[in-house]
Amino acid sequence: MRVVVVDGEGPKLHGYFVLATEIHDDSGAPHTLEHLCFMGSRSYQYKGFLDKLATRAYSGTNAWTATDHTAYTLETAGWAGFRQILPIYLEHIILPTITDAACLTEVHHIDGNGLNAGVVYSEMQGVQNTAQELIDLRTKRLVYPKGSGFRYETGGMMEQLRVLTADRIRQFHRDMYQPKNLCIILFGQLNHDELLETLDDFEDSIADSIPDPAAPFKRPWIDSEETKFPEETIIETVDFPDEDESMGQIDIHFLGPDCAKSIDICELNVVLLYLAGSSAALLDNNLVEKEQLASGVYYQINSRPKTEVTFSLSGVETEKLQEVEARFFELLKGAMVKPLDMPFLRDCLDRQVRTTKYQFDTSATAFSDDIIVDYLFGKRDGSTLEDLKTLNDYDTLKSQSESQWKDFIQKYFSDAHHISILGKPSASLSEKLKQDEAKRIEEQVHRLGPEGLEECAKSLEEAKAENDREIPSSMLARFEVPPVESIHFINTSSARAGPALKVGRPSNRYQNIVEKDSKNMPLFIDFEHIPSNFARVNLMISTEQLPVELRPLIPLYLESFFTLPIKRGDKTVEFEQVVIELERETVGYDIDNAADLGNVECLRIQFQVEIEKYDVAIRWIKELLWNSSFDEGRLKAINSRLLADIPETKRSGESMLSACHLMLHLAPESMGRVRSTLTQALYLKGIKNLLKTEPAKVISLLEAFRKSLCKFLNFRVIVIADLDKLRNPVSTWQEFMSDLKIDPLHPPALTPLGRRLDRLSPAGLHPGQSSYIVPMSTIDSSYALAVARGPTTYDDPSLPALMIAMAYMNAVEGPLWVAVRGTGLAYGTSVSYEIDTGFIHLEVYRSPDAYRAILASREIVQGHIDGTIPFDPLMLEGAVSSIIVTFANAQATLPAAATSNFVRTVMRELPEDYMQVMLKKVKEVDVEAIKRSLKDVVFDLFRPEKSNFLVTCAPGLTEVSNFHG
């Protein structure tokens, strides 16, 4: 095994256990192991043992399957829990049981009704006929020849999953899952000596059960036959199912430089920013902003021996697909016969460097992708990892000439062979897929006959019985729950100025720093101190006084905020220059709702800047709020872009379920409702027509919107930065305040921030008797959501019991998991609560039959209420541990901890020791209290008079009788 450790501070440790995996078919064997490895190992031959242990050890497990590797993840609060579970997790990866019973339930089976199901099958059923999957698969087939592992769908095609055998899966595991092909990547605060000791002991424990480590091993990808790429350009049309045939998409695929050549990858990053990194970039500016031929131009890099680069053009009118694809290359080639915009290109280079530094400053696992790619395609001795130590390659690129940059662009893009896929929506394909699937099921039922169906049902029940053998309590009890003291929680310090002091005056030296610079500042400013070289500047804006009739303008306002012309004195700065300057002077910028700051009904403007550019962020906020110009041409372009994105959003079952939920349960005053897909689909069409006939009216409405929104009364400022480095933390805001004419000694009272709880519809306030089933031709599975009422405050006395009840039900390999995912009824299901709305939810994700998944969920909850299903004491301990992990997740990094502190103390007005008090209450909850919570709160989700149900599903899944029964 190989081990890479990235030391870091914080409560969380992150482990990535990565295997290079290569297969030359669409069987899905790599994907199945991602599930089967969790079903038991040589020493722990019980389904769910690993995940139940993980829950006790403050841990969470997950996995993913990529084309070129499979990764298993472990996130743990504290080194003690991580060390405890590490060797057991590794044994599940290297020595899993892979039983026939596990393959039947987890991969694929036919149930007693003749329907195909299984966890993996359900997952792939949900994606196989989506637009992106069909386009991606055709691209792979065209780029890579037979014999190349990059050609195939490693998730598995449904038709091959239906015939995949357990023996084939076991053979693939023997071939690929060897310790010599495993890389352990760890991030966090850990003990190196104890780590090596743990890994040494693990290797000794498996030595007699693995292939000879000295035996020859064909390294995936590197020792495979060299791929010969097509030496021609190919343009093909791929149909995808959709009843709305108005909008398609285009994917253009290139092969870039060798992924092991660090400087070439750095150059690629800069070039992609230059071509399509912002609305001022070549492709985006022309295709989206000026010519309005697409709603967006995006790019994606896939690291391969030859890097894959894909440009995706979304929201393209179907009849213009060929025209837009040709225009893409006209722009590229045209740019190569003109001088490059070298100042802008240098800006892109500088921005790439700033962004990279910021990612390392912000993310606990910022190096993960680079380390995985190096393991797959770099030198196994770790020497190629040295490139991650510095950003020197970017310094080298600064001296490159224009001709060198042009040569690179021409070599890999403008003059290169490529694969273009024109994704075309097809209503007839939608109908054909529906009919074909119905016919296949009918033939399958006929072929099996009554006896065959009975045998299928019997085999499934026997497999479930084998999988669900009870884990001996003594086996789990051997592993004690680590002490909470083993978790290194992050403590941050606050300081406040202006009205923020009403929350309370912190007693620390940072408050003294702020007060020395306050000078009667009337603005509400909350500072959260963290050691950092960057400042995160947030302006939260209340929408409480925004007229209801203006609120549907919110999507257009947000989308245009950073891309409008700006008035500076008697000059107008065009939007392209605005974007160029924003990109040059910041690390990042965003406008959205303020959910991350604790209020989903407020707006939030955020800038991330190098700390010495704190004043620049404030200047930009002021300019963008008051000096932007609602230009008619820009508004038409932006509104068209928003409209063009709607058909794609409406193809997603999950997105449409969310949109229906927002429309049903929120009032017209709610920002969630006005931003929902269904509201936008209607309102933006009206704006489009109005921009054609009365553009001045639209501009007048936006001016009224701005006047109502951009008031001192609506503002709160939140700054996350290093107060030891931040110059003039308070007085820098004086320029922002200069035109507001606010008396600093007698400032007006601030507008309340408002709550989503106060913006619910009658159906949201009083759920019951509302059920909607939305058939969608673009999906093959179903999604469901039940909504009922729950607690509305964080100090509600019922909350501790509800937290334990839901944590217990939601546990991996817990009751809902076993009843629904474990039986192949859905890829996932869970219950949750939401204090901001007072909602509780039951969600069913990617199910072949949402109705049966809901019934199974109801039965398992009822069983725990009436006592027919006993509570497991060890799992109850695990539920408490999972709540502790939730608190740790909220402060996984320094910026996250700072944000969490602000939300807790300022937005929710909770005491500093809220976490400790809540954990004490949670630990005191007994089984009877949990039963009461399940009966009085959670079970309302299954009571027709107390809950609303929403389902999005394939047309063939709509016939459901007695849905609420």
Side-chain angles (χ1 to χ4, degrees), residues 180-200:
K180 66 178 71 175
N181 191 35
L182 174 65
C183 182
I184 298 171
I185 307 167
L186 304 178
F187 300 84
Q189 205 165 339
L190 54 90
N191 185 308
H192 290 199
D193 291 336
E194 291 180 354
L195 170 65
L196 293 175
E197 179 184 347
T198 300
L199 293 178
D200 283 342

Side-chain angles (χ1 to χ4, degrees), residues 447-555:
R447 183 180 71 253
L448 290 168
E451 291 184 2
L453 291 174
E454 185 178 339
E455 183 62 31
C456 286
K458 180 183 177 184
S459 297
L460 180 58
E461 290 306 313
E462 290 174 349
K464 286 195 274 187
E466 181 179 337
N467 291 337
D468 295 338
R469 288 177 301 124
E470 186 175 351
I471 302 170
S473 296
S474 59
M475 183 177 282
L476 276 171
R478 285 166 39 202
F479 301 91
E480 294 184 359
V481 175
V484 178
E485 292 73 24
S486 67
I487 304 171
H488 300 284
F489 287 102
I490 297 174
N491 294 314
T492 62
S493 299
S494 302
R496 301 181 184 115
L501 284 167
K502 294 179 181 179
V503 178
R505 182 188 179 278
S507 298
N508 57 53
R509 68 185 187 87
Y510 302 109
Q511 182 64 33
N512 296 333
I513 292 172
V514 166
E515 288 183 352
K516 287 179 183 178
D517 189 49
S518 289
K519 301 175 184 176
N520 297 319
M521 170 58 70
L523 189 62
F524 180 111
I525 311 179
D526 181 276
F527 294 94
E528 300 295 331
H529 167 79
I530 60 171
S532 176
N533 292 318
F534 298 91
R536 297 154 179 88
V537 184
N538 300 271
L539 179 68
M540 184 186 292
I541 307 175
S542 171
T543 62
E544 189 74 358
Q545 294 186 350
L546 189 64
V548 175
E549 64 271 16
L550 294 178
R551 295 188 185 210
L553 287 166
I554 288 174

Side-chain angles (χ1 to χ4, degrees), residues 87-159:
I88 298 165
Y89 198 165
L90 293 178
E91 184 181 287
H92 276 74
I93 294 172
I94 299 299
L95 300 176
T97 52
I98 316 181
T99 64
D100 289 348
C103 291
L104 193 71
T105 59
E106 292 296 300
V107 180
H108 171 261
H109 60 260
I110 300 173
D111 65 18
N113 296 314
L115 300 176
N116 301 86
V119 178
V120 174
Y121 188 85
S122 296
E123 182 180 355
M124 297 313 296
Q125 184 183 47
V127 300
Q128 181 162 317
N129 288 313
T130 61
Q132 196 59 60
E133 178 69 13
L134 291 168
I135 290 171
D136 288 346
L137 185 63
R138 186 56 188 155
T139 301
K140 290 177 184 179
R141 300 290 203 246
L142 291 172
V143 174
Y144 295 101
K146 291 181 180 179
S148 169
F150 293 116
R151 176 183 175 86
Y152 301 99
E153 173 50 78
T154 51
M157 304 292 285
M158 286 188 288
E159 51 271 24

Side-chain angles (χ1 to χ4, degrees), residues 263-272 397 400 404-405 408:
I263 193 164
D264 285 356
I265 298 303
C266 291
E267 187 168 4
L268 177 65
N269 290 333
V270 176
V271 162
L272 290 173
L397 290 173
Q400 277 205 163
Q404 287 175 302
W405 287 103
F408 187 92

Side-chain angles (χ1 to χ4, degrees), residues 377-681:
F377 308 119
K379 294 180 180 178
R380 284 284 170 94
D381 61 5
S383 60
T384 45
L385 271 178
E386 295 292 318
D387 292 331
L388 294 180
K389 282 187 174 180
T390 72
L391 297 174
N392 290 342
D393 284 338
Y394 289 106
D395 291 331
T396 302
L397 290 173
K398 288 180 180 179
S399 62
Q400 277 205 163
S401 66
E402 179 184 5
S403 62
Q404 287 175 302
W405 287 103
K406 274 192 175 182
D407 288 345
F408 187 92
I409 297 172
Q410 289 171 330
K411 178 179 179 180
Y412 292 112
F413 299 112
S414 64
D415 294 347
H417 293 300
H418 57 274
I419 306 292
S420 290
I421 302 295
L422 312 182
K424 182 181 176 184
S426 170
S428 61
L429 177 60
S430 174
E431 183 62 27
K432 181 178 183 299
L433 289 172
K434 175 185 172 182
Q435 292 176 359
D436 288 351
E437 180 66 1
K439 182 181 178 182
R440 187 188 68 78
I441 295 294
E442 183 181 356
E443 291 175 349
Q444 181 167 274
V445 170
H446 179 74
R447 183 180 71 253
L448 290 168
E451 291 184 2
L453 291 174
E454 185 178 339
E455 183 62 31
C456 286
K458 180 183 177 184
S459 297
L460 180 58
E461 290 306 313
E462 290 174 349
K464 286 195 274 187
E466 181 179 337
N467 291 337
D468 295 338
R469 288 177 301 124
E470 186 175 351
I471 302 170
S473 296
S474 59
M475 183 177 282
L476 276 171
R478 285 166 39 202
F479 301 91
E480 294 184 359
V481 175
V484 178
E485 292 73 24
S486 67
I487 304 171
H488 300 284
F489 287 102
I490 297 174
N491 294 314
T492 62
S493 299
S494 302
R496 301 181 184 115
L501 284 167
K502 294 179 181 179
V503 178
R505 182 188 179 278
S507 298
N508 57 53
R509 68 185 187 87
Y510 302 109
Q511 182 64 33
N512 296 333
I513 292 172
V514 166
E515 288 183 352
K516 287 179 183 178
D517 189 49
S518 289
K519 301 175 184 176
N520 297 319
M521 170 58 70
L523 189 62
F524 180 111
I525 311 179
D526 181 276
F527 294 94
E528 300 295 331
H529 167 79
I530 60 171
S532 176
N533 292 318
F534 298 91
R536 297 154 179 88
V537 184
N538 300 271
L539 179 68
M540 184 186 292
I541 307 175
S542 171
T543 62
E544 189 74 358
Q545 294 186 350
L546 189 64
V548 175
E549 64 271 16
L550 294 178
R551 295 188 185 210
L553 287 166
I554 288 174
L556 182 59
Y557 180 79
L558 299 186
E559 187 70 14
S560 64
F561 190 76
F562 296 106
T563 58
L564 291 172
I566 281 180
K567 295 175 183 176
R568 285 182 184 156
D570 57 355
K571 294 182 179 179
T572 297
V573 181
E574 294 301 326
F575 89 91
E576 291 95 342
Q577 185 60 33
V578 170
V579 173
I580 287 171
E581 292 179 18
L582 282 167
E583 299 279 308
R584 180 187 301 147
E585 296 180 346
T586 72
V587 176
Y589 47 90
D590 181 48
I591 183 169
D592 205 338
N593 65 47
D596 58 339
L597 295 177
N599 192 309
V600 73
E601 290 294 336
C602 290
L603 293 178
R604 185 264 298 140
I605 302 167
Q606 182 181 84
F607 276 86
Q608 303 105 37
V609 293
E610 293 159 305
I611 200 161
E612 61 272 15
K613 292 185 177 179
Y614 176 56
D615 60 325
V616 174
I618 297 170
R619 172 175 58 79
W620 272 115
I621 292 174
K622 180 179 181 179
E623 272 201 315
L624 293 166
L625 281 175
W626 289 291
N627 295 352
S628 58
S629 175
F630 295 118
D631 177 78
E632 177 186 337
R634 293 297 302 135
L635 294 176
K636 286 180 178 178
I638 294 163
N639 193 74
S640 295
R641 183 165 74 232
L642 289 170
L643 270 172
D645 279 335
I646 288 173
E648 184 174 347
T649 305
K650 291 170 76 172
R651 292 171 190 144
S652 164
E654 191 176 10
S655 295
M656 284 305 295
L657 186 69
S658 174
C660 293
H661 161 55
L662 295 173
M663 289 297 292
L664 177 62
H665 295 119
L666 302 184
E669 294 85 356
S670 172
M671 186 150 60
R673 177 163 170 162
V674 300
R675 295 184 70 189
S676 75
T677 300
L678 298 176
T679 300
Q680 287 191 60

